[in-house]
Amino acid sequence: MQHKINLLDFSEQGLREWLAQIDQPAFRAPQLIHWLHQQFEDNFDKMLNLPKAFRGWLTENTCIHQLPIQHEHISQDGTIKWLLTVDETNAVEMVYIPELTRGTLCVSSQVGCALDCSFCSTGKQGFNRNLSCGEIIGQLRLANIRLKQLYPNRIKPITNVVMMGMGEPLTNEKPVTTALKLMIDDNAYGLAYRRVTVSTSGVVPAMLRLKENMPQIALAVSLHAPNNALRNELVPINLKYPLEKLMAVCAEYYAGQTKRQITYEYVMLKGVNDTIEHAKELAKLLKKAPGKINLIPFNPFKNSQYQTSDRHQILAFQQYLRDEYVTTIRTTRGDDISAACGQLVGDVNDRTRRIKIFQDYK
Ligand code: SAH
Ligand code: SF4
């Protein structure tokens, strides 16, 4: 199957170019996109507006490949975590977070992550490989199909997508960008630009390219520290792209036409980055590129060296920043199934834990 061309790897424009190479008219591109990403059809023979001979050719030469579900865990609060099989030894995770007026899908971009942030379980697991576009957009496709089965009456179960699962999206730029294009394509998923968020730990050159190519996509920057010394320790990519460079790009985003705000993510680590002094330094740092601040209580995982900041400390930190910046505290969802930020591990070695979780929520 893998040697065949995976049709989920193409954006609409990409399909058009490929169709030209195989002497098919360009109007087949939106037709195929519609079947693949709106009808979720897997059987070429049912794509009745395509000529029969072409359907046969597609069956012979192409495939519709997305990562299959290995396990599904439904949390008491409605959050769903899916473990998706990559190969015999690797898996990635995808999380659905339903709220009153919206539904958010948290999508993975890599198997593991090479950037090794000291507080992140995905980083601690190491890096295996990049996901292809088909494997990334396939997550949104699969979630749509599965949610329709689970909740047939929900009209639009997924309104938002955040690239906040496993991996650093901006070190897997091309497949991620193609998948983003499909997310906002009206013939495919038709999500509003501002409802699709790329979260990055600060891969500066790729941030600049994203700004050029897709300026309206929402951006979240994982800051976590207000000075280089501390950020070098927590987010090692800071050694390559220090705060001066990162904040300069953020200022460019801020000054861009759309004037939309960046969200700064800041994990709250007890006794490490959570004092009022840090809050003061942070307030100063963001002066040139103001944005919304999202404080994330640290989510512990096995063998993690940190503790979550005390609640009163998080509130005091928020209180200090609030005068100048909208500052929210992220509520942890899906805690009971380890679906929260930074808890996504996806490896298949720790079976005992996984089987237990699965039994609890089956
Ligand atoms: N690689 C990207 C996106 C994936 S991580 C990034 O770093 O932005 C999504 C968010 O979860 C990031 O803000 C990340 O810093 C945060 N995070 C990672 N580990 C965490 C943990 N253990 N507790 C809370 N947040 C965590
Ligand atoms: Fe990678 Fe993001 Fe985790 Fe850092 S926080 S290791 S960049 S997934």
Side-chain angles (χ1 to χ4, degrees):
M1 174 149 97
Q2 286 298 357
H3 64 278
K4 289 187 174 181
I5 291 169
N6 184 6
L7 292 182
L8 300 185
D9 279 334
F10 292 107
S11 66
E12 197 171 326
Q13 179 57 26
L15 266 185
R16 246 183 233 118
E17 289 161 17
W18 174 72
L19 287 163
Q21 286 170 22
I22 55 168
D23 292 327
Q24 285 289 329
F27 67 79
R28 299 256 174 265
Q31 288 177 328
L32 272 169
I33 290 281
H34 177 78
W35 284 117
L36 297 170
H37 298 290
Q38 289 196 340
Q39 296 299 319
F40 309 121
E41 187 53 71
D42 285 320
N43 182 350
F44 292 113
D45 281 331
K46 293 202 176 148
M47 302 183 182
L48 289 174
N49 56 357
L50 306 179
K52 193 156 186 258
F54 184 47
R55 293 195 314 248
W57 187 89
L58 287 172
T59 311
E60 270 306 294
N61 296 287
T62 70
C63 65
I64 301 165
H65 171 68
Q66 65 201 15
L67 299 174
I69 295 178
Q70 193 174 111
H71 284 311
E72 174 179 270
H73 313 297
I74 303 184
S75 161
Q76 280 150 347
D77 68 11
T79 301
I80 308 177
K81 180 168 87 167
W82 290 281
L83 189 71
L84 308 177
T85 302
V86 174
D87 56 38
E88 304 85 66
T89 47
N90 289 291
V92 291
E93 293 178 334
M94 160 173 93
V95 180
Y96 174 64
I97 307 149
E99 285 166 293
L100 224 50
T101 54
R102 61 180 185 180
T104 303
L105 189 72
C106 179
V107 168
S108 290
S109 56
Q110 297 179 317
V111 187
C113 182
L115 299 190
D116 200 22
C117 300
S118 60
F119 52 85
C120 173
S121 66
T122 303
K124 291 291 140 217
Q125 168 200 348
F127 176 71
N128 178 264
R129 73 163 172 85
N130 283 325
L131 293 182
S132 64
C133 168
E135 291 167 335
I136 296 168
I137 202 66
Q139 294 172 57
L140 181 53
R141 187 175 189 268
L142 182 65
N144 269 292
I145 294 168
R146 185 66 190 128
L147 289 169
K148 214 175 179 69
Q149 291 166 348
L150 286 170
Y151 311 111
N153 295 330
R154 263 185 218 174
I155 294 166
K156 197 174 180 198
I158 300 169
T159 56
N160 295 53
V161 172
V162 292
M163 300 290 310
M164 289 188 187
M166 295 169 67
E168 166 51 54
L170 294 188
T171 57
N172 184 21
E173 224 178 320
K174 210 161 170 269
V176 165
T177 310
T178 310
L180 292 173
K181 284 187 181 145
L182 285 163
M183 289 177 200
I184 54 167
D185 183 346
D186 280 338
N187 287 324
Y189 297 91
L191 295 172
Y193 269 102
R194 67 193 153 79
R195 290 179 178 271
V196 177
T197 302
V198 170
S199 176
T200 180
S201 54
V203 188
V204 165
M207 287 170 75
L208 283 168
R209 284 190 289 270
L210 185 70
K211 178 178 170 285
E212 287 306 309
N213 296 333
M214 307 187 91
Q216 297 104 318
I217 291 275
L219 186 71
V221 174
S222 295
L223 211 49
H224 307 314
N227 60 61
N228 280 325
L230 185 55
R231 196 162 192 269
N232 286 344
E233 220 177 277
L234 302 179
V235 186
I237 197 167
N238 195 69
L239 292 159
K240 193 159 182 199
Y241 305 115
L243 281 171
E244 302 74 55
K245 289 193 176 159
L246 178 60
M247 295 317 295
V249 188
C250 293
E252 271 191 50
Y253 260 91
Y254 180 70
Q257 293 164 347
T258 49
K259 287 264 179 201
R260 77 222 146 79
Q261 287 204 330
I262 292 175
T263 300
Y264 294 101
E265 293 163 287
Y266 196 100
V267 65
M268 296 299 288
L269 305 168
K270 186 174 183 168
V272 176
N273 65 353
D274 65 348
T275 66
I276 293 300
E277 277 311 307
H278 291 115
K280 276 186 194 165
E281 225 181 328
L282 181 61
K284 217 168 139 205
L285 182 73
L286 301 189
K287 279 243 160 24
K288 285 204 183 111
K292 185 178 162 238
I293 301 168
N294 196 356
L295 303 176
I296 316 174
F298 170 65
N299 291 311
F301 53 91
K302 207 172 148 196
N303 297 331
S304 58
Q305 50 175 313
Y306 299 108
Q307 286 175 294
T308 312
S309 304
D310 295 329
R311 189 76 193 160
H312 71 85
Q313 193 61 33
I314 300 178
L315 289 171
F317 202 89
Q318 178 193 37
Q319 199 56 40
Y320 183 86
L321 292 165
R322 246 184 179 168
D323 288 345
E324 275 181 273
Y325 307 98
V326 174
T327 307
T328 52
I329 300 172
R330 185 174 295 170
T331 45
T332 299
R333 297 284 305 264
D335 211 9
D336 52 342
I337 55 167
S338 292
C341 267
Q343 288 182 320
L344 306 186
V345 178
D347 75 69
V348 289
N349 302 325
D350 193 358
R351 284 187 185 280
T352 42
R353 182 176 132 261
R354 188 152 322 104
I355 287 165
K356 184 179 174 309
I357 293 167
F358 193 54
Q359 281 167 348
D360 285 349
Y361 295 100
K362 217 161 30 170

